[in-house]
């Protein structure tokens, strides 16, 4: 794929992710979806990272990584089925919306408790090193996660054991209602030095800047087997979740379509480079809308999971206790 | 068939050794388990034999040890993390409850965690508040975890062998008081003690004891010293406990005493008592009694008062003898 094609494809994914995001939020307001954590604003940094990765790299993501998943080829259906919690969902409708799982694309299943994915990513990195493989692990988390003991444990262990783990902090400036200034006294990327690993900050709203940094750092990690902390500075344009009203705690905003919007920034640069024009942009947006609308209607028709599936997968083989409870309830 | 007289430390060590020799996906990790061989020497000599990559001395961070082990397990290894004392496990509780226990379920069966978490637990070694706790009920209360506690070297080998082939997370609670106090004939060849099956270690008609871990030798000694005509059930697997063996015995004897070290309120005795009451109340000839640790933290100087003993067990036996 040449550079033009690569970036136009990246842009297309960003638009698709944004379109899906808005569709789900609207559907939630209409009572068609239970809950959602919008990704709006974090498209460029996720797609920029994804562009730098190989197929066999492992992702230990968090609950706001839709653009990342789409760019790695996770089908729209997989994401919408999870949002609906229907019978085609990889997780059999067990998790709240936004907690995807896509093993086929090396995405771990998403947890709610923040940063608990980080120590797991370290273990996955250890397995890679032990088996002398060449793939790497990327783990994503928000700025709030950097206050947790799990962040500390994972950063420390990845450095002590020299493991190929990319810690991608998606600093969207807000942990629900707490601004990043009240989360931590120092800039996040600077914490890397205390653990003995590379650390750097990048404008996560700029697709081109993000890709450049991601490519260089992923390559270093792949070649040296050493971890890195990348702070991708971005902005959570939407609420934390559909249950949250940010007007209660913040006045700053980056409105959609404004010059701080990563999609607008990408469009400007793509046009400057002559990779895309206004007609193509409109075309991409129309295509995304048509596709999302169509898939959404289609997946809404998928029936819910069968009740007995609730009792499966607790263990490889159900215990007598679970079998008995199943009999009592169903 | 050849066998050796081994204590529990030796039985666990030799089981780990034989599994590691044939399966390079087994990785041990924990604090001081390598060069030092573990504070109880359970992993002694294994790092020298298998190297620092397979017997990892980790930084001092329980949640990191457990979280890292879960990630290894998801990636196709079979980690055996050691938590130096079960009392120190609580910073890793989130990892156990929200990651390990729920991984298979939340991923719709895509991912699973074949991990055996070994940890010494229980009192009787003058360990005070932070080296004596029996937290089995915390783990047993979490769907997705399997909780095991051997009471002797033979079962320790058999249960650990079964755990190392099991594809879900196991909390392997080692009663530290029994580490070196009992020796058994332990066969050299492979065998498994099945997960979920209790053992009827003494048979009788008047009374059923349900117990596990470090309390098994105490109950057996009490029974033989006092010529009690009792069934003694060693659960071996705490969750899922063997309800069938319990019920069969209770239906025969009509009287039950549950003995464990952990505090009484909402301990395993509560669950087993409710289980029996639900299914065998018509067979009961007296109240279901519990002889347990009290609902206090574990005291240092007064540990002998905390631990169940022969006197307290006999008191319960006498109380049940009033019911005919």
């Amino acid at each position: 794929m040449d550079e033009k094609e690569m970036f136009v494809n990246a842009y297309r994914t960003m638009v698709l992710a944004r379109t899906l995001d808005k569709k789900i939020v609207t559907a939630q307001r209409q009572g068609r979806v239970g809950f959602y954590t919008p990704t709006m604003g974090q498209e460029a940094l996720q797609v920029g990272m994804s562009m730098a990765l190989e197929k066999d790299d492992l992702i230990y993501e968090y609950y706001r990584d839709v653009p990342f998943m789409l760019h790695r080829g996770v089908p729209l259906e997989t994401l919408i089925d999870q949002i609906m919690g229907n019978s085609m969902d990889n997780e059999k409708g067990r998790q709240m919306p936004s907690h995807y799982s896509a093993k086929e694309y090396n995405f771990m299943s998403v947890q709610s408790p923040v940063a608990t994915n980080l120590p797991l990513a370290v273990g996955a990195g250890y397995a890679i090193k032990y088996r002398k493989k060449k793939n790497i692990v990327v783990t994503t988390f928000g700025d709030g996660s950097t206050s947790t003991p799990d962040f500390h444990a994972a950063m420390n262990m990845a450095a002590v054991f020299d493991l190929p783990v990319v810690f991608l902090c998606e600093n969207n400036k807000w942990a629900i209602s707490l601004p990043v200034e009240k989360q931590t006294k120092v800039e996040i990327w600077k914490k890397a030095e205390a653990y003995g690993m590379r650390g750097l900050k990048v404008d996560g709203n700029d697709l081109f800047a993000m890709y450049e940094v991601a490519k260089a750092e992923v390559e270093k990690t792949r070649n040296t087997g050493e971890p890195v902390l990348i702070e991708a500075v971005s902005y959570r344009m939407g609420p934390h979740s559909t249950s949250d009203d940010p007007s209660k705690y913040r006045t700053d905003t980056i409105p959609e379509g404004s010059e701080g919007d990563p999609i607008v920034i990408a469009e400007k640069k793509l046009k400057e480079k002559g990779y895309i024009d206004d007609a193509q942009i409109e075309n991409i947006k129309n295509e995304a809308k048509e596709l999302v609308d169509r898939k959404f209607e289609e997946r809404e028709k998928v029936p819910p999971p069968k009740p007995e599936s609730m009792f499966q997968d607790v263990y490889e083989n159900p215990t007598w206790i679970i079998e008995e409870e199943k009999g009592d309830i169903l | 068939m050849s066998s050796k007289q081994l204590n529990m430390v030796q039985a666990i060590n030799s089981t780990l050794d034989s599994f590691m020799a044939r399966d390079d996906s087994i990785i041990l990790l924990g604090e001081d388990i390598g060069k030092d061989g573990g504070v109880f020497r359970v992993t002694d000599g294994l790092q020298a034999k298998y190297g620092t990559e397979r017997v990892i001395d980790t930084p001092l961070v329980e949640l990191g040890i457990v979280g890292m082990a879960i990630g290894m397990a998801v990636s196709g290894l079979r980690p055996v993390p050691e938590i130096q004392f079960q009392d120190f496990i609580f910073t890793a509780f989130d990892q156990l409850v929200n990651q390990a226990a729920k991984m298979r379920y939340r991923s719709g069966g895509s991912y699973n965690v074949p991990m055996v978490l070994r940890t010494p637990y229980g009192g009787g070694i003058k360990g005070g508040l932070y080296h004596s706790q029996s937290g089995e009920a915390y783990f047993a209360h979490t769907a997705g975890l399997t909780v095991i506690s051997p009471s002797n070297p033979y079962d320790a080998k058999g249960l650990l062998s079964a755990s190392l082939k099991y594809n879900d997370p196991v909390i392997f609670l080692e009663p530290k008081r029994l580490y070196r106090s009992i020796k058994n004939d332990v066969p050299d060849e492979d065998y498994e003690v099945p997960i979920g099956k209790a053992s009827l270690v003494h048979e009788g008609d008047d009374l059923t004891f349900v117990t596990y871990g470090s309390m098994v030798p105490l109950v057996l000694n009490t029974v033989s010293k006092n010529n009690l005509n009792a069934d003694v059930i060693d659960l071996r697997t705490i969750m899922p406990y063997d309800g069938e063996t319990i019920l069969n015995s209770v239906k025969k004897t009509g009287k039950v005493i549950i003995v464990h070290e952990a505090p009484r309120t909402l301990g395993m005795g509560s669950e087993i008592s409710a289980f029996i009451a639900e299914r065998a109340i018509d067979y009961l000839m007296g109240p279901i009694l519990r002889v347990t640790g009290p609902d206090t933290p574990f005291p240092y100087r007064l540990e002998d008062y905390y631990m169940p003993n022969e006197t307290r067990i006999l008191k319960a036996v006498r109380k049940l003898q009033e019911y005919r």
Side-chain angles (χ1 to χ4, degrees), chain A residues 58 60 90-92 94-95 101-103 106-111 113 115-117 119-124 126-127 130-132 149-150 153 156-157 160-161 163 309-317 319-321 324, chain B residues 24-25 27 52-54 56-59 61 63-65 67-68 70-72 74-77 94-95 98-99 101 103-111 142-146 166-168 239-243 275 279:
Chain A
L58 309 176
Y60 280 70
N90 283 344
E91 301 172 338
K92 308 182 187 176
R94 289 170 186 157
Q95 291 219 72
S101 181
K103 191 181 185 184
N106 290 330
F107 281 100
M108 174 41 58
S109 104
V110 174
Q111 60 290 307
T116 59
N117 51 326
L120 274 64
V122 174
Y126 194 91
Y130 177 69
R131 293 296 188 198
K132 299 186 169 45
D150 299 65
N156 184 51
M157 290 177 109
V160 164
F161 293 121
L163 301 177
S309 76
M310 168 178 146
F311 298 94
Q312 296 163 354
D313 304 320
V314 184
Y315 302 90
E316 184 173 34
N317 300 305
T319 61
W320 68 266
I321 297 170
E324 195 178 84
Chain B
D24 73 353
S25 68
I27 308 272
T52 53
E53 285 191 350
R54 292 190 65 194
I56 310 168
D57 281 315
T58 66
V61 53
L63 88 84
I65 294 166
M68 193 170 157
I70 297 166
M72 289 174 167
V74 164
S75 285
L77 300 179
D94 190 24
Q95 286 290 339
N98 283 325
Q99 289 285 0
M103 183 65 76
R104 184 187 285 279
Y105 194 73
R106 81 166 196 237
S107 69
S110 300
Y111 294 105
T142 300
L145 297 181
T146 297
Y166 197 67
N167 291 324
D168 290 303
M239 185 54 72
Y241 59 89
D242 182 351
F275 169 80
R279 284 145 229 256

Side-chain angles (χ1 to χ4, degrees), chain A residues 192-205:
Chain A
E193 191 187 348
Y195 293 103
M197 71 168 77
R198 310 194 306 281
L200 68 164
K201 178 170 76 166
V202 55
D203 179 357
N205 289 338

